[in-house]
Amino acid sequence: MRTSQQRGEGAVKNPYLPYPVRIDQVIVETDDRNIKSFRLVFLSREDEEAFQYTPGQFAELSIAGKGEIPIGIASSPTERGHLLFTVNKAGVVTTALHNMNEGELMGVRGPLGRGFPLDAFQGKNVVIIGGGFAFTTLRSTVQYMLDHRDRFGEITVIYGARRPGLLLYKETLEEWASRDDIDTHYTVDVEAEGWSGRVGFVPAVTEEVAPNPNNAYAIVCGPPIMIKFTMPVLTKLGFTPGQIIMSLENRMKCGIGICGKCNTGPKYVCKDGPVFTLEELNRIPAEY
Ligand SMILES: Cc1cc2nc3c(=O)[nH]c(=O)nc-3n(C[C@H](O)[C@H](O)[C@H](O)COP(=O)(O)OP(=O)(O)OC[C@H]3O[C@@H](n4cnc5c(N)ncnc54)[C@H](O)[C@@H]3O)c2cc1C
Ligand code: FES
């Protein structure tokens, strides 16, 4: 892995070549220790400048001798100087990453894919609905909107996990909750000692909070079961498919629309997505 200087000034970047980064901090996010966040810093200023991303995009994280995995970018571009990725320990590469320590080197290839349509969000109310560890790019989006607060209307966050110990980004959640320019609703599935937030599943809490669909968009990311039961709630509240935005997590290889591994119908999730409106997904013919 070479820095941009080593690749040569002005050279066209090879899309398969990762940027070298150093693990600056490892944060254990959940009480079961299965989810960790990795704060990564670029080795060169040129690489950091070249990596311009928007919330909702992802990157391929590469671990020498193990492989590459697509992971959503959890930091906001407004948080300069580092990238944040939050990784659930699932298999070979994620386990290797979980075993790495602060100071070690790895690679980041990207940014990849199409992020959330922040231009369309300008002046609109935005409802963020997240469940479990799919909150990663939602963290990026909320933080970005808060750092450009005047560009957006009301921001509502509904975020749930099975129990308090599985909620990500606890300090950030508290910081958001302490502000008066964002409406936060954190929930857990069942009562838990010391928990003073809401209790109930995300779809039920969405129904209770009842965000207004006028002049609004809703982003929904979470486990399939949460998405399945949240969609009818949003429809009942009056959100149209064009106002509902999702992010898909199909299996991937190249991440740049070449290998054909990630398709959903005629769309490549890596290049045309991972962010789609429900309207776009509904247009994909049923035989896919
Ligand atoms: C655009 C995108 C963004 C993602 N963002 C995140 C993120 O922010 N944090 C995070 O923890 N994970 C994220 N994922 C999922 C992550 O890429 C996979 O969990 C990872 O590739 C598993 O790699 P592994 O080598 O550890 O597991 P493997 O050894 O390859 O597989 C372990 C297990 O995980 C399953 N698995 C592997 N990949 C996927 C997948 N894409 N979807 C569902 N199941 C899978 C396998 O079937 C197997 O059961 C994202 C995926 C995509 C496509
Ligand atoms: S992962 Fe290769 S085309 Fe999408």
Side-chain angles (χ1 to χ4, degrees):
M1 284 181 284
R2 297 177 299 163
T3 64
S4 6
Q5 272 176 332
Q6 289 164 323
R7 279 193 291 266
E9 194 69 36
V12 175
K13 187 176 179 294
N14 175 344
Y16 290 107
L17 208 57
Y19 294 111
V21 292
R22 179 170 48 79
I23 302 177
D24 183 50
Q25 193 184 8
V26 181
I27 304 152
V28 179
E29 294 281 358
T30 54
D31 58 6
D32 61 7
R33 303 184 68 82
N34 275 339
I35 301 181
K36 290 182 181 177
S37 287
F38 297 84
R39 190 182 149 111
L40 308 179
V41 292
F42 289 94
L43 300 192
S44 96
R45 177 61 67 85
E46 287 89 341
D47 289 351
E48 185 183 336
E49 289 302 321
F51 195 99
Q52 295 291 330
Y53 65 99
T54 57
Q57 286 194 287
F58 67 100
E60 290 280 346
L61 300 189
S62 69
I63 313 292
K66 296 294 177 186
E68 273 196 321
I69 44 166
I71 300 289
I73 306 172
S75 48
S76 157
T78 50
E79 299 173 299
R80 311 282 301 163
H82 71 273
L83 297 174
L84 188 75
F85 294 92
T86 303
V87 181
N88 178 44
K89 192 160 77 168
V92 179
V93 183
T94 49
T95 301
L97 182 55
H98 267 242
N99 290 336
M100 289 179 75
N101 297 309
E102 291 171 4
E104 289 193 76
L105 299 185
M106 52 179 280
V108 172
R109 184 161 67 84
L112 303 170
R114 186 174 68 141
F116 293 113
L118 292 163
D119 287 344
F121 290 176
Q122 300 247 358
K124 301 269 196 297
N125 301 329
V126 184
V127 184
I128 304 276
I129 304 173
F133 73 90
F135 199 68
T136 58
T137 56
L138 298 182
R139 178 202 179 281
S140 170
T141 309
V142 174
Q143 195 56 53
Y144 179 91
M145 291 193 295
L146 289 175
D147 291 338
H148 294 289
R149 191 64 194 87
D150 53 330
R151 295 190 198 164
F152 306 96
E154 289 167 19
I155 302 172
T156 305
V157 175
I158 299 168
Y159 173 41
R162 270 185 286 138
R163 56 174 197 273
L166 296 182
L167 286 166
L168 306 180
Y169 316 127
K170 291 175 189 67
E171 278 179 27
T172 306
L173 295 183
E174 273 175 35
E175 203 260 311
W176 293 347
S178 71
R179 298 175 60 135
D180 57 12
D181 56 355
I182 173 172
D183 186 22
T184 54
H185 304 270
Y186 307 138
T187 184
V188 295
D189 290 357
V190 287
E191 299 274 358
E193 210 184 306
W195 175 252
S196 56
R198 285 175 179 267
V199 176
F201 297 121
V202 168
V205 172
T206 305
E207 195 158 10
E208 268 171 47
V209 172
N212 190 328
N214 291 334
N215 199 36
Y217 279 98
I219 307 181
V220 189
C221 294
I225 186 86
M226 183 206 99
I227 294 187
K228 183 175 168 206
F229 288 105
T230 303
M231 287 307 167
V233 173
L234 288 175
T235 304
K236 199 167 123 194
L237 289 170
F239 284 83
T240 63
Q243 291 173 282
I244 301 175
I245 296 164
M246 302 163 71
S247 186
L248 302 187
E249 289 201 356
N250 288 26
R251 295 295 204 94
M252 291 183 183
K253 196 126 189 104
C254 71
I256 52 175
I258 290 175
C259 72
K261 169 116 178 148
C262 68
N263 74 301
T264 287
K267 301 274 187 198
Y268 289 139
V269 172
C270 68
K271 190 158 105 0
D272 303 316
V275 169
F276 294 96
T277 62
L278 183 59
E279 187 177 30
E280 288 172 313
L281 295 176
N282 285 346
R283 265 190 248 126
I284 293 171
E287 65 264 28
Y288 291 106

